[in-house]
Amino acid sequence: MATADFANNVRIKIVHTPSMAAVGTWAFSARAVERLKELISAGHQATDAVEDALAEVENDPETGRHIVGRGGFPNSRGVLECDAAIMEGKAGRFGAVAALQGVGAPVRVARRVMDKSPHSLLVGEGAVAFAREQGFAIEPNDNMLTTNSAMAYQEYLEKNQRISGHDTLGLIAVDTTGNITVGVSSSGAPFKAPGRVGDSPLPGCGLYAEHMVGAAAATGDGDKIMCFCPSFHIVQLMKQGSAPSVACRTVLDDIMRRIASDSCFEIGLIAVNTKGEVGAASTVEFPYAFWNQDMVAVEICTNHPHSIHSDGGRNRKV
């Protein structure tokens, strides 16, 4: 909201109209962003849309290879443990689960934590107990793995063969009334230590949102990302007037300067403001899916690796 002064000293408030928008991390999020587009265009609330779109990807074993939900890679004991979180722009609206076993769509449990629990984050056995109390079926671990993830685990045991990648799925939606919600989900680092939790379900780290400002999400090396709270930092910069693209690049610049290294850990950042503007920054080639109400279809853009000696990765459509 802004004000304008005219010669007759009348002060008129100028309010920008929220623009529907949706964005997702990595190219495989395109299907989920398309789903967000359909839902918010039909008048659905941003939180419901993010939950539904995220859950569809989580519960699809074919997308498990992207380190998300059912079919993801297990921990070092062969057990799949998932992290998920959802956050609204409205103050105090956050819910998350971590190291959750036996649930194909962990974001639905995170939503229930936000709506029904006096707590904001439940972990491990406590998360499972809560999910069961809320009526979720807790499936055996074998049901959570696919042939691909089970074979990968066997190769890890026999050959210590690792899987590279940190493909956390992050989704952000702005609905017709200007509500903004961000959700994230990850099965975590392949063959991680039991109980390990990355940045994804931590507010300010893997995700953050503020009403009438915008939201941000992070993906990459969660053990490193959580040390810098990039999502919170991005939203605060947008609150101060920075465009999403500038906010993302500024935060990544700050991280790279602080680690004082020629090479930075893997990180990808996305952000959207309530005007429907999107931004991204990354240390790797980082495709993301995006749509706003001025666009006919969802587009996939690619952010190129960022350097503090440049003006940041430039986005191009692919």
Side-chain angles (χ1 to χ4, degrees):
M1 181 179 294
T3 60
D5 288 305
F6 294 91
N8 59 3
N9 292 323
V10 175
R11 293 176 65 83
I12 300 175
K13 291 182 179 180
I14 302 172
V15 182
H16 76 261
T17 302
S19 175
M20 290 186 295
V23 65
T25 55
W26 307 107
F28 78 92
S29 73
R31 186 184 75 185
V33 174
E34 181 65 37
R35 181 64 173 150
L36 288 177
K37 170 181 174 289
E38 294 172 358
L39 290 169
I40 60 178
S41 295
H44 291 266
Q45 201 260 355
T47 302
D48 295 335
V50 167
E51 179 189 356
D52 287 350
L54 201 52
E56 286 180 10
V57 176
E58 288 178 320
N59 212 21
D60 182 354
E62 292 301 313
T63 53
R65 67 182 187 278
H66 296 298
I67 315 181
V68 175
R70 188 185 299 274
F73 299 101
N75 64 22
S76 61
R77 294 181 182 172
V79 178
L80 184 67
E81 294 183 323
C82 294
D83 305 334
I86 193 164
M87 185 174 194
E88 294 181 349
K90 298 174 185 176
R93 292 285 291 162
F94 172 82
V97 290
L100 175 65
Q101 300 176 14
V103 177
V107 72
R108 294 205 184 279
V109 184
R111 170 73 184 275
R112 204 67 64 86
V113 171
M114 181 173 73
D115 289 343
K116 301 294 185 180
S117 174
H119 309 299
S120 294
L121 171 62
L122 296 175
V123 180
E125 292 181 2
V128 171
F130 174 80
R132 186 178 285 112
E133 290 168 4
Q134 293 296 312
F136 290 91
I138 307 302
E139 301 180 48
N141 188 63
D142 286 348
N143 286 11
M144 301 299 296
L145 301 179
T146 60
T147 300
N148 178 63
S149 58
M151 288 178 60
Y153 177 64
Q154 197 60 35
E155 290 184 354
Y156 162 74
L157 291 178
E158 296 173 358
K159 306 175 184 177
N160 198 31
Q161 185 169 324
R162 298 278 178 171
I163 300 291
S164 61
H166 305 278
D167 294 355
T168 300
L169 176 60
L171 297 177
I172 304 172
V174 183
D175 66 26
T176 54
T177 61
N179 293 317
I180 189 164
T181 299
V182 56
V184 296
S185 183
S186 175
S187 56
F191 320 131
K192 62 192 177 185
R196 177 265 188 189
V197 177
D199 69 298
S200 296
L202 305 182
C205 300
L207 73 169
Y208 199 76
E210 184 166 339
H211 187 58
M212 297 306 296
V213 178
T219 180
D221 187 342
D223 293 295
K224 302 291 197 306
I225 291 172
M226 70 171 67
C227 301
F228 297 94
C229 297
S231 296
F232 175 80
H233 192 178
I234 289 168
V235 174
Q236 293 309 297
L237 289 174
M238 291 195 294
K239 188 175 183 179
Q240 294 165 17
S242 293
S245 57
V246 174
C248 288
R249 292 198 301 267
T250 300
V251 168
L252 189 50
D253 274 346
D254 178 65
I255 292 172
M256 296 176 77
R257 289 192 182 98
R258 289 168 67 187
I259 64 174
S261 173
D262 292 336
S263 61
C264 185
F265 55 86
E266 182 178 315
I267 180 173
L269 303 169
I270 58 169
V272 176
N273 62 19
T274 51
K275 298 177 185 179
E277 298 169 335
V278 67
S282 61
T283 57
V284 295
E285 198 88 351
F286 178 44
Y288 60 94
F290 170 64
W291 171 83
N292 69 25
Q293 66 185 42
D294 296 325
M295 299 163 58
V296 175
V298 173
E299 295 179 355
I300 297 177
C301 299
T302 297
N303 189 83
H304 299 291
H306 183 76
S307 167
I308 59 174
H309 303 297
S310 72
D311 62 355
R314 294 302 186 191
N315 300 329
R316 62 176 174 84
K317 298 175 185 177
V318 296

